[in-house]
Amino acid sequence: MPVLSSTALLPRLRLTAFFALLSALALACLLLFSGSAQAQIQLKLGSAQAATAAPGASATVETPRVRAELVALAPEGIAPGQPLTLGLRIHHQPGWHTYWKNAGDSGLATQLTWQLPAGITAGDIAWPMPQQIRVGDLLNYGYEGTVLLPVPATVAAGFAPDAQGMVRIQLQASWLVCRVECIPEDGSFTLDLPAQGSVAMAAADFAAAARQAPQALQGEARFTVLPGGERLQLQVNGLPATAQGQTLAFYPESSDTFRHAAELGKDWTQAWKGATWTAELPLSEMRGDTPASLPVVLGLPTAGSDVAHAPPTQAWRMEAPVEGQWKAVQLATVSPALAAALEANRNAATPAAPAPTASASSLWLAVLGGLIGGLILNLMPCVFPVLAIKLLALAQPGTAPAARHTAGLAYGAGVVLSFLALGGLLLGLRAAGDQLGWGFQLQSPAVVALLAALFTLIGLNLAGLFELRMLLPSRWASAQARHPVVDAFLSGVLAVAIASPCTAPFMGASLGFAVGMPAVQALTVFAALGVGMALPFVIVGWVPALLRWLPRPGAWMDTFRRAMAFPMFATVVWLVWVLGQQSGIDGSAALLGLLLLLAALVWALTLQGRSRWALGALVLALTVWLLPTAGRLVVQPVEAATSASAGHSTALWQPWSAERVASLQAAGQPVFVDFTAAWCVTCQFNKKTTLSDTEVLADFAARQVQLLRADWTRRDPAITAELARLGRSGVPVYVLYAPGKAPQVLTELLSTTEVRQALAAL
C-alpha cells in the first residue's frame, strides 16, 4: 500500500488560513448585526416575529398582521388655543384583533407613549367602543377591521414651532395582536406637521372615532351587592328612549371585577321596569376589595346583530357608586409564581442593583462546568473534523518538539481569546440594554447564512474539490507554512466560531450564572470554557508520548479527510433549516442558490487556462446580479409557516408568554415550558425523543399539565428575560411550574425518567 509523504499531504492540510479569514468575517458580521436594527426584531411566542420601526423613520409601521399609522387632526393649524388631536390608526388583517382599555379575560390594552415638543401635552386615549370577541370559554373586548385611537392634545400659550415652522410628533406604541395565537408588537412613529395651515387628512377617521366613543350618562346609576357577596345588581335610570326596551351589552372598564365570559340569560340577567334598566351580574374570582364606585359602559347593539359581537351603535358611560361590601378574594389564593411575577413588574422601573459578587464555591463550580463543557465541544460534528486534521498534522514525522509546543499554545490562545471576545461582546450588549443570551449569534439570519457558506467551503476543501494553491497566488497559499503560529492561532478562532452555538446544552447553568456576575468573574467562566476546549490539542502538543496513540500516516488519511466533509455538509443542511425558521422557505431557497453559485465559482477557479477566467467571470457576474434579491430574501424575517415547535399539534403545545404562565398558575393548573430554538440541536433531539414519548405525553394529560413552548429562534427579549430569571443564558431549558411551588428547572439533556418523576411529584 502506498504511503503519503508529509510533503504530499501538506497542501491538503492547508485549509485553516483561508477558512479562518472567513471565520473572522463571520465574527465581524456578528458584531455588526448584533447592534443593528436587524437584531432588534422580536418573535412570535412559539413561532413568529414581532414589528419594530427605526426611530424617526416613518409615521407607519407594517407587520404581517396590522398596519399602524400615526395621524393628527389640526383643522386650524397647531397653535395655542386651537384644537389638536393625535391618534394611532390600526388596520387589522382579517381574523386579527387588538384590545380595548379592558382587554377582558385575556389580552393587553394598546399602550401609547408620546415624545412631544415643549408646550404640547397629550391626554388619555378616548377609546372607541369595542366589540365582544369570544375565544373558547374566554370573552375579550377589542377591535377588528380598522380602528383609530384618538388622543386629545393641548397646545400651551408659550408653544412655538421649530425654525422651519414644523412640529415633530413622536410616538412609541405597543400592542398585542391576536387571532388564535397572540403576538406582542411595537413600533416607533414620527410625524412632521406644519404649524401653519390645516392638517385634516384623517378627519373622517377622527369623526368616526368620536361617534364610536361612549357618551356620558345624564341619568343615575348604582351598584348594590346582593346577599352572599358573589353578585352585583346594577340599576340605571336616564337612558335615552332609543335604548329603552332593548337588550344592552355590558362593558366593564375594570379588568378583575366581573366574570367577562358570563352568558346573558344563563349567568347574568337584565330587565326593564319602565325607564329603569336593571341587571344582576356575577363577580370575578379574581376580584379585590370593594371600591367606592365602578366605571362601566352600556352599549346598544347594531340592529339585527347579537349582543356578543358587533360594536354598539350607541354607548353610555357611567361611574356608578357601590352600595355594600362583597367578599374579597384573599391574596393567599395567588400562587407564589404569580406573586413573584407581580413583584418583578413593580420593581421593573427601579434601577437594578449592582450584580452581587459570586461566592468562591459557586464561582469555582461555574469554572469547572466551563472546563467540562469545553472538553465536550471537541466532539461536536462541526468541530471534530477540524481538530482531527490538525492533530494529524501535528503528528507528521519530522515535526520539531518546539514547533508542536508553539502550535499548541497558539491554538489555545486563539480559542481562549475568541471565547473571551464573544463573552465580552455579550456582556457589553447586555449592559447597553439588549436582551441577549448565549447563542445570540445564530439569531441573525445574516450570520447563519455566512456560517453556511463557511461550512460549504470547508466541506468542498475536505472533499478534494479544491486546494488553496489552486485559488490563490502561491505566495498567499503558502503563507500558512511560513507562519505556523498565526495558522495555529487562527485555527483556534475557527474552532470557536463553529462551536460556540453548541455550548448551551452543556453550559446552560454555568453561562446563565456567568452573565449575572461582575464582568471579571463572568469572563473567568468564559475563559474556562476556552481552556477546556483547547486542552486536548495543547496536551498532545506538549506530551510526545500521546502522539504514539495516533494512527501512523498513510493512504487512509486521504480517505479520512474526504469522509470528514460529510459532517460539514450535514452542518450546512442544519443551518439552512435554521434559516428557514427565520426567513421562511424563500430565504432557504435563496441561500441554497447562493451556496450553489459559491461551489460553482470555486470549481471554475480550479480550472486551467481560459476556461478558468471565462467560467469564473460568468459565475461571478451571475452571483453579483442575483445577490441583492437573494440576499434580501435571506436576511428578511417572515412569519414562519412552521415554527421550531413543529411536530406537535397546536392543541398540545401552545405559545409561551409570562402572562399565560401567570394566569394558569393563578387558576391552579400546572405548566410545563419548553424553551427552544431551531438552531439548538439538543432542543430538536429532546423534542423528537423525550417530549414525543407516549408515556410522557400520557402523564402530561393525566395531570392536566398545560404545555407551552417558548421559541427563541429569533430574538425575543421576553424569553431572554425569563431565561435570565431562571438563571440560564441559552437553550434548551425545561421548567415545570406546579401550583404553590417554586419553578423546577430540569436538566438540558432531558430523559423520560426525569420528566415522569417530576410529574409524579405534582
Side-chain angles (χ1 to χ4, degrees):
M1 177 181 296
V3 177
L4 292 180
S5 68
S6 60
T7 56
L9 184 64
L10 186 58
R12 295 182 177 273
L13 298 176
R14 290 178 181 171
L15 59 99
T16 307
F18 181 69
F19 298 128
L21 176 60
L22 293 175
S23 175
L25 290 175
L27 291 176
C29 183
L30 170 60
L31 286 167
L32 174 64
F33 278 88
S34 60
S36 68
Q38 176 74 32
Q40 301 300 324
I41 294 171
Q42 300 179 347
L43 286 175
K44 169 185 171 182
L45 300 179
S47 64
Q49 138 267 352
T52 60
S58 174
T60 303
V61 169
E62 291 193 58
T63 81
R65 293 153 291 278
V66 304
R67 182 180 187 272
E69 183 180 7
L70 173 60
V71 293
L73 177 64
E76 305 298 329
I78 303 176
Q82 298 299 332
L84 171 63
T85 309
L86 309 174
L88 182 66
R89 182 169 54 196
I90 304 176
H91 174 73
H92 305 82
Q93 292 297 323
W96 294 91
H97 60 268
T98 54
Y99 293 94
W100 188 47
K101 61 166 68 176
N102 172 20
D105 286 318
S106 64
L108 292 171
T110 298
Q111 302 290 325
L112 306 181
T113 302
W114 299 93
Q115 296 88 43
L116 303 174
I120 298 180
T121 305
D124 297 327
I125 299 174
W127 293 92
M129 284 305 299
Q131 62 193 62
Q132 298 185 5
I133 303 170
R134 284 195 177 270
V135 181
D137 295 332
L138 304 179
L139 176 64
N140 300 324
Y141 308 109
Y143 306 99
E144 296 177 346
T146 300
V147 64
L148 173 62
L149 303 180
V151 175
T154 302
V155 183
F159 168 77
D162 64 18
Q164 289 74 37
M166 300 297 290
V167 179
R168 169 159 289 191
I169 307 296
Q170 292 181 297
L171 169 66
Q172 181 68 36
S174 62
W175 58 90
L176 184 69
V177 57
C178 297
R179 185 169 54 187
V180 175
E181 68 275 33
C182 289
I183 302 170
E185 299 183 340
D186 65 84
S188 298
F189 304 81
T190 296
L191 183 62
D192 289 319
L193 302 172
Q196 300 295 324
S198 175
V199 178
M201 293 184 63
D205 292 313
F206 280 103
R211 290 192 299 269
Q212 295 169 4
Q215 304 171 19
L217 179 70
Q218 300 302 317
E220 297 180 351
R222 73 172 182 272
F223 282 103
T224 303
V225 181
L226 296 177
E230 298 290 338
R231 299 174 69 83
L232 285 182
Q233 182 188 74
L234 172 60
Q235 191 175 77
V236 182
N237 294 304
L239 288 167
T242 54
Q244 294 179 16
Q246 303 292 324
T247 300
L248 303 182
F250 178 72
Y251 296 85
E253 292 189 3
S254 52
S255 59
D256 296 328
T257 303
F258 297 94
R259 284 175 51 196
H260 301 295
E263 296 184 23
L264 177 61
K266 179 180 177 182
D267 301 309
W268 73 286
T269 60
Q270 59 174 281
W272 286 93
K273 294 181 181 178
T276 301
W277 182 83
T278 304
E280 290 190 7
L281 302 149
L283 290 167
S284 168
E285 294 81 359
M286 298 297 295
R287 63 187 180 273
D289 295 330
T290 308
S293 63
L294 287 170
V296 296
V297 177
L298 298 180
L300 179 63
T302 304
S305 68
D306 58 17
V307 174
H309 187 72
T313 55
Q314 289 181 277
W316 302 272
R317 184 183 185 275
M318 61 209 72
E319 289 267 357
V322 180
E323 297 180 357
Q325 297 287 321
W326 63 57
K327 183 180 179 181
V329 176
Q330 299 298 317
L331 292 179
T333 61
V334 178
S335 70
L338 179 57
L342 294 174
E343 181 64 24
N345 288 339
R346 281 193 294 268
N347 295 334
T350 61
T357 301
S359 65
S361 59
S362 58
L363 175 60
W364 284 114
L365 285 175
V367 170
L368 179 61
L371 287 170
I372 296 174
L375 288 169
I376 297 176
L377 282 179
N378 290 292
L379 302 178
M380 293 295 101
C382 49
V383 179
F384 180 74
V386 175
L387 180 63
I389 291 177
K390 293 299 297 182
L391 285 173
L392 291 176
L394 203 64
Q396 287 298 307
T399 304
R404 295 193 185 104
H405 298 168
T406 303
L409 292 177
Y411 176 86
V415 170
V416 173
L417 291 178
S418 296
F419 268 115
L420 286 174
L422 279 176
L425 174 62
L426 173 61
L427 295 174
L429 291 174
R430 286 174 66 94
D434 279 348
Q435 290 292 328
L436 296 172
W438 192 251
F440 69 104
Q441 56 270 46
L442 285 181
Q443 293 173 329
S444 166
V447 173
V448 172
L450 194 58
L451 287 175
L454 173 65
F455 284 120
T456 298
L457 288 173
I458 294 176
L460 293 175
N461 178 272
L462 292 175
L465 178 65
F466 75 95
E467 309 294 346
L468 290 183
R469 55 183 170 80
M470 299 179 180
L471 306 182
L472 302 175
S474 58
R475 183 173 178 273
W476 292 5
S478 61
Q480 177 190 29
R482 298 198 308 270
H483 305 285
V485 175
V486 176
D487 170 60
F489 179 85
L490 292 177
S491 297
V493 175
L494 174 64
V496 172
I498 61 181
S500 59
C502 304
T503 55
F506 318 108
M507 287 291 297
S510 294
L511 290 178
F513 181 64
V515 295
M517 294 178 178
V520 174
Q521 297 183 15
L523 292 177
T524 301
V525 177
F526 287 109
L529 181 60
V531 170
M533 183 176 178
L535 201 57
F537 189 86
V538 175
I539 291 178
V540 170
W542 280 78
V543 182
L546 296 177
L547 295 175
R548 302 191 190 100
W549 294 5
L550 299 177
R552 292 181 178 275
W556 67 270
M557 295 176 66
D558 188 60
T559 303
F560 174 79
R561 171 213 182 224
R562 295 177 187 274
M564 289 297 97
F566 292 98
M568 292 298 173
F569 291 139
T571 304
V572 175
V573 172
W574 168 62
L575 288 169
V576 171
W577 179 79
V578 169
L579 187 81
Q581 307 300 310
Q582 300 171 329
S583 301
I585 189 65
D586 291 340
S588 296
L591 177 59
L592 288 173
L594 292 176
L595 295 180
L596 178 63
L597 289 173
L598 177 63
L601 180 61
V602 169
W603 168 76
L605 294 178
T606 62
L607 302 176
Q608 301 295 325
R610 295 180 179 178
S611 299
R612 171 189 179 108
W613 302 113
L615 290 176
L618 179 63
V619 175
L620 183 60
L622 181 61
T623 303
V624 172
W625 180 58
L626 292 176
L627 187 59
T629 300
R632 184 169 59 253
L633 291 173
V634 167
V635 302
Q636 175 177 305
V638 296
E639 184 175 1
T642 55
S643 70
S645 61
H648 298 286
S649 67
T650 55
L652 184 62
W653 290 92
Q654 298 294 327
W656 170 92
S657 72
E659 294 80 9
R660 178 74 169 146
V661 174
S663 64
L664 290 168
Q665 285 281 278
Q669 185 173 0
V671 181
F672 182 85
V673 181
D674 170 18
F675 291 89
T676 184
W679 40 262
C680 170
V681 178
T682 308
C683 301
Q684 306 310 316
F685 176 79
N686 289 335
K687 197 176 298 179
K688 300 297 183 183
T689 54
T690 301
L691 296 182
S692 296
D693 184 82
T694 54
E695 293 182 343
V696 170
L697 294 177
D699 283 353
F700 280 134
R703 290 166 174 79
Q704 297 183 330
V705 178
Q706 177 63 60
L707 304 179
L708 302 181
R709 183 156 282 153
D711 189 350
W712 207 40
T713 300
R714 293 190 289 259
R715 283 189 58 189
D716 188 328
I719 295 178
T720 307
E722 184 65 15
L723 290 173
R725 192 181 70 83
L726 295 168
R728 296 294 187 270
S729 185
V731 290
V733 174
Y734 305 99
V735 188
L736 180 62
Y737 298 85
K741 298 181 180 178
Q744 180 181 357
V745 181
L746 308 183
T747 60
E748 289 87 351
L749 297 174
L750 203 60
S751 68
T752 56
T753 301
E754 181 183 13
V755 176
R756 299 191 68 190
Q757 287 177 349
L759 293 174
L762 291 176

